[in-house]
Amino acid sequence: MIVAEQKPLSSLKAMLEGHRKVLAVGCGTCVTVCFAGGTKEVGILAASLRMTRGLDGEPLEVDETTVQRQCEDEYLEPLADNLGDYDVILSLGCGIGVQTLAQRFPDTRVLPALDTKFMGRPTEQGVWEEHCQACGNCILDLTGGICPVSRCAKQLMNGPCGGSQDGRCEVDPDTSCAWQLIWERMDRLGLADRLMDIQPPRDWSSSRDGGPRRVVREDLRTPGVADEADG
Amino acid sequence: MTAEQHDFEPRVIAFCCQHCAYAAADLAGSSRLAYPTSLKIVELPCTGRADVLNILHSFEDGADGVLVAGCLSGKCHYQSGNLYAKQRVAYVQRLLADIGLEAERVRMVNISAAMGAQFAELATEMVETVKALGANPLRPGPPEPREHQAGDRP
């Protein structure tokens, strides 16, 4: 899932200065699961904003709604009808949700209530950890299902490095050494000998240095629309 | 404490677990132990049910204080509901501070069903704390005039 965290209330208050009527829009997918931008978090943030602005003597009207997925246009359609009532949209979606709202409603200002952190999973209740950097060239088959790109501080392809101490990373003793985990897992699978093959320097061209990446599935594109888009 | 602070009747919502604090309040009543009537009790199956939103909405709707009263540590009927409640109360305290209200307006206490006298004491203490802080500035309308109560301390 995409993991996000709410911005400090003081930042959001500053962003909303001068605005009087806000639509706070949550997202029912990733940020609901990581407790950053679901229906409940929208309620908590809306109440907090109403209260803090009330204390300042500058009341803020905050209406609340949550759509199933902020990152797809069709889920935003129900918002179109009443949008004229609001000065601004406060999105509790990830960065993609904010951008989808901004693109769908270009005449309304859209503000981000969250900081999008990473793609990860809960390692225990209330704790999320990054597990994928979307490098575009998955090598989990070589590493026992443990990703050195996202979980090794040095993104080593042939580890561990000398900073691995008792299974911990030298960068942060609370972080497991990804390569220790990889060796243990591969050993358990009876595949440790494969780690003796040296991996060549990695081709990062599939990663994110060439601007926004696209995935195109010709079989799924809408006939006619696709031809027009491609010129 | 200013005269104005003395003169208002605080509204304190007490979210009480049915297994302990609610029974303790009952015991205080049947033992004829007075506690301020400004404490309004909401019975919950467990303080684990006291959501952050319940507490925040209490303040938004004008409550001057919120008391969350759960079982003694290690005695929750659902294992850890009171421990979750404690964490949530701490979270709301931070939220209140960010919002601009005093964190002391919300408090978690742990008592057993047999602690009727302690419930009355804790309830009185909470109401006194809230009185000292003054009315919730978000409370709609003018503060209610204070009436004499049997449980008032001299």
Side-chain angles (χ1 to χ4, degrees), chain A residues 7 10-19 90 109 111-113:
Chain A
K7 286 178 177 291
S10 54
S11 305
L12 296 175
K13 206 173 151 183
M15 265 188 216
L16 290 166
E17 208 179 318
H19 292 292
L90 182 62
R109 193 174 180 210
L111 300 175

Side-chain angles (χ1 to χ4, degrees), chain A residues 144-162:
Chain A
I146 294 159
C147 174
V149 177
S150 57
R151 297 171 68 180
C152 168
K154 294 177 178 172
Q155 300 186 327
L156 292 182
M157 291 299 111
N158 299 281
C161 71

